[in-house]
Short mmCIF file of all heavy atoms in Angstrom, two decimals:
data_model
loop_
_atom_site.label_atom_id
_atom_site.label_comp_id
_atom_site.label_asym_id
_atom_site.label_seq_id
_atom_site.Cartn_x
_atom_site.Cartn_y
_atom_site.Cartn_z
N PHE L 110 9.95 11.45 3.66
CA PHE L 110 10.62 10.36 4.27
C PHE L 110 9.87 9.05 3.93
O PHE L 110 8.68 8.98 4.23
CB PHE L 110 10.80 10.52 5.77
CG PHE L 110 11.69 11.65 6.18
CD1 PHE L 110 11.13 12.94 6.38
CD2 PHE L 110 13.04 11.48 6.33
CE1 PHE L 110 11.94 14.00 6.72
CE2 PHE L 110 13.84 12.56 6.69
CZ PHE L 110 13.31 13.81 6.88
N THR L 111 10.55 8.07 3.39
CA THR L 111 9.89 6.82 3.05
C THR L 111 9.82 5.90 4.29
O THR L 111 10.54 6.11 5.27
CB THR L 111 10.62 6.09 1.91
OG1 THR L 111 11.98 5.89 2.29
CG2 THR L 111 10.57 6.94 0.68
N ARG L 112 8.96 4.90 4.20
CA ARG L 112 8.72 4.00 5.31
C ARG L 112 9.95 3.19 5.58
O ARG L 112 10.74 2.86 4.69
CB ARG L 112 7.53 3.06 5.00
CG ARG L 112 6.25 3.85 4.95
CD ARG L 112 5.13 3.09 4.26
NE ARG L 112 4.77 1.82 4.93
CZ ARG L 112 3.88 1.77 5.93
NH1 ARG L 112 3.33 2.87 6.38
NH2 ARG L 112 3.59 0.61 6.51
N SER L 113 10.13 2.84 6.87
CA SER L 113 11.32 2.06 7.30
C SER L 113 10.87 0.76 7.89
O SER L 113 9.74 0.53 8.27
CB SER L 113 12.13 2.83 8.32
OG SER L 113 11.28 3.17 9.43
N GLY L 114 11.82 -0.23 7.89
CA GLY L 114 11.53 -1.52 8.46
C GLY L 114 11.63 -1.46 9.96
O GLY L 114 12.52 -0.90 10.57
N ILE L 115 10.64 -2.06 10.64
CA ILE L 115 10.65 -2.05 12.09
C ILE L 115 9.78 -3.27 12.57
O ILE L 115 8.80 -3.62 11.94
CB ILE L 115 10.08 -0.74 12.65
CG1 ILE L 115 10.25 -0.69 14.19
CG2 ILE L 115 8.65 -0.55 12.27
CD1 ILE L 115 9.88 0.69 14.76
N GLY L 116 10.24 -3.87 13.69
CA GLY L 116 9.48 -4.94 14.24
C GLY L 116 9.58 -6.26 13.49
O GLY L 116 10.48 -6.46 12.64
N ARG L 117 8.68 -7.17 13.77
CA ARG L 117 8.71 -8.50 13.14
C ARG L 117 8.36 -8.34 11.67
O ARG L 117 7.62 -7.44 11.27
CB ARG L 117 7.68 -9.39 13.84
CG ARG L 117 7.95 -9.65 15.29
CD ARG L 117 6.89 -10.45 15.94
NE ARG L 117 6.69 -11.74 15.23
CZ ARG L 117 5.77 -12.63 15.55
NH1 ARG L 117 4.89 -12.35 16.52
NH2 ARG L 117 5.68 -13.76 14.89
N PRO L 118 8.89 -9.23 10.81
CA PRO L 118 8.58 -9.16 9.39
C PRO L 118 7.07 -9.24 9.14
O PRO L 118 6.37 -10.06 9.74
CB PRO L 118 9.30 -10.41 8.80
CG PRO L 118 10.40 -10.67 9.77
CD PRO L 118 9.89 -10.29 11.12
N SER L 119 6.63 -8.35 8.30
CA SER L 119 5.19 -8.25 8.01
C SER L 119 4.97 -7.83 6.59
O SER L 119 5.90 -7.30 5.95
CB SER L 119 4.47 -7.31 8.97
OG SER L 119 4.97 -5.98 8.81
N GLY L 120 3.78 -8.00 6.07
CA GLY L 120 3.44 -7.63 4.74
C GLY L 120 2.11 -6.94 4.62
O GLY L 120 1.29 -7.04 5.53
N ARG L 121 1.87 -6.23 3.54
CA ARG L 121 0.63 -5.49 3.31
C ARG L 121 0.29 -5.56 1.84
O ARG L 121 1.14 -5.33 0.99
CB ARG L 121 0.74 -4.07 3.80
CG ARG L 121 -0.50 -3.24 3.60
CD ARG L 121 -0.31 -1.86 4.28
NE ARG L 121 0.71 -1.12 3.66
CZ ARG L 121 0.53 -0.16 2.70
NH1 ARG L 121 -0.72 0.09 2.33
NH2 ARG L 121 1.54 0.51 2.21
N LEU L 122 -0.95 -5.82 1.53
CA LEU L 122 -1.43 -5.86 0.18
C LEU L 122 -2.77 -5.13 0.05
O LEU L 122 -3.68 -5.39 0.83
CB LEU L 122 -1.57 -7.29 -0.33
CG LEU L 122 -2.11 -7.49 -1.78
CD1 LEU L 122 -1.14 -6.92 -2.79
CD2 LEU L 122 -2.41 -8.98 -2.02
N ALA L 123 -2.83 -4.19 -0.85
CA ALA L 123 -4.05 -3.39 -1.05
C ALA L 123 -4.38 -3.27 -2.51
O ALA L 123 -3.48 -3.07 -3.32
CB ALA L 123 -3.89 -2.00 -0.40
N VAL L 124 -5.66 -3.49 -2.83
CA VAL L 124 -6.14 -3.41 -4.20
C VAL L 124 -7.46 -2.64 -4.20
O VAL L 124 -8.27 -2.85 -3.32
CB VAL L 124 -6.31 -4.81 -4.84
CG1 VAL L 124 -6.85 -4.70 -6.28
CG2 VAL L 124 -5.05 -5.61 -4.80
N GLY L 125 -7.61 -1.75 -5.19
CA GLY L 125 -8.87 -0.98 -5.21
C GLY L 125 -9.14 -0.38 -6.59
O GLY L 125 -8.33 -0.52 -7.51
N GLY L 126 -10.27 0.22 -6.73
CA GLY L 126 -10.65 0.85 -7.95
C GLY L 126 -11.75 1.85 -7.73
O GLY L 126 -12.29 1.98 -6.63
N GLY L 127 -12.06 2.66 -8.76
CA GLY L 127 -13.07 3.67 -8.67
C GLY L 127 -13.48 4.20 -10.00
O GLY L 127 -13.32 3.57 -11.04
N THR L 128 -14.06 5.41 -9.97
CA THR L 128 -14.56 6.03 -11.18
C THR L 128 -13.44 6.42 -12.12
O THR L 128 -12.26 6.39 -11.78
CB THR L 128 -15.36 7.26 -10.82
OG1 THR L 128 -14.58 8.14 -10.06
CG2 THR L 128 -16.63 6.88 -10.02
N TYR L 129 -13.81 6.77 -13.33
CA TYR L 129 -12.86 7.14 -14.40
C TYR L 129 -11.90 6.02 -14.72
O TYR L 129 -10.74 6.25 -15.13
CB TYR L 129 -12.08 8.41 -14.04
CG TYR L 129 -12.93 9.62 -13.72
CD1 TYR L 129 -12.93 10.13 -12.41
CD2 TYR L 129 -13.70 10.19 -14.69
CE1 TYR L 129 -13.76 11.19 -12.12
CE2 TYR L 129 -14.49 11.28 -14.41
CZ TYR L 129 -14.52 11.77 -13.09
OH TYR L 129 -15.30 12.85 -12.78
N GLY L 130 -12.34 4.79 -14.53
CA GLY L 130 -11.47 3.64 -14.83
C GLY L 130 -10.23 3.56 -13.96
O GLY L 130 -9.17 3.05 -14.38
N THR L 131 -10.35 4.05 -12.76
CA THR L 131 -9.22 4.12 -11.81
C THR L 131 -8.97 2.78 -11.13
O THR L 131 -9.96 2.14 -10.67
CB THR L 131 -9.40 5.21 -10.79
OG1 THR L 131 -9.58 6.44 -11.46
CG2 THR L 131 -8.22 5.30 -9.86
N GLY L 132 -7.73 2.35 -11.05
CA GLY L 132 -7.38 1.16 -10.30
C GLY L 132 -6.02 1.33 -9.66
O GLY L 132 -5.15 2.03 -10.21
N TRP L 133 -5.83 0.69 -8.54
CA TRP L 133 -4.56 0.81 -7.85
C TRP L 133 -4.25 -0.46 -7.05
O TRP L 133 -5.16 -1.20 -6.66
CB TRP L 133 -4.50 2.00 -6.93
CG TRP L 133 -5.44 1.92 -5.72
CD1 TRP L 133 -5.16 1.32 -4.53
CD2 TRP L 133 -6.76 2.42 -5.68
NE1 TRP L 133 -6.27 1.44 -3.71
CE2 TRP L 133 -7.26 2.11 -4.37
CE3 TRP L 133 -7.58 3.08 -6.58
CZ2 TRP L 133 -8.54 2.44 -3.96
CZ3 TRP L 133 -8.87 3.46 -6.18
CH2 TRP L 133 -9.32 3.13 -4.91
N SER L 134 -2.98 -0.74 -6.87
CA SER L 134 -2.57 -1.86 -6.08
C SER L 134 -1.21 -1.56 -5.44
O SER L 134 -0.39 -0.85 -5.99
CB SER L 134 -2.40 -3.14 -6.98
OG SER L 134 -1.47 -2.87 -8.04
N THR L 135 -1.02 -2.04 -4.22
CA THR L 135 0.20 -1.81 -3.43
C THR L 135 0.57 -3.09 -2.70
O THR L 135 -0.26 -3.76 -2.11
CB THR L 135 0.04 -0.69 -2.41
OG1 THR L 135 -0.37 0.55 -3.09
CG2 THR L 135 1.30 -0.45 -1.64
N ALA L 136 1.87 -3.44 -2.74
CA ALA L 136 2.41 -4.56 -2.01
C ALA L 136 3.62 -4.09 -1.26
O ALA L 136 4.48 -3.38 -1.80
CB ALA L 136 2.75 -5.71 -2.95
#
């Protein structure tokens, strides 16, 4: 089940990285 909208409008931003040339980002 995917996330649902609830409450006041809000946002989230995450950026990261690691070994083996790994990188990720989520908005």
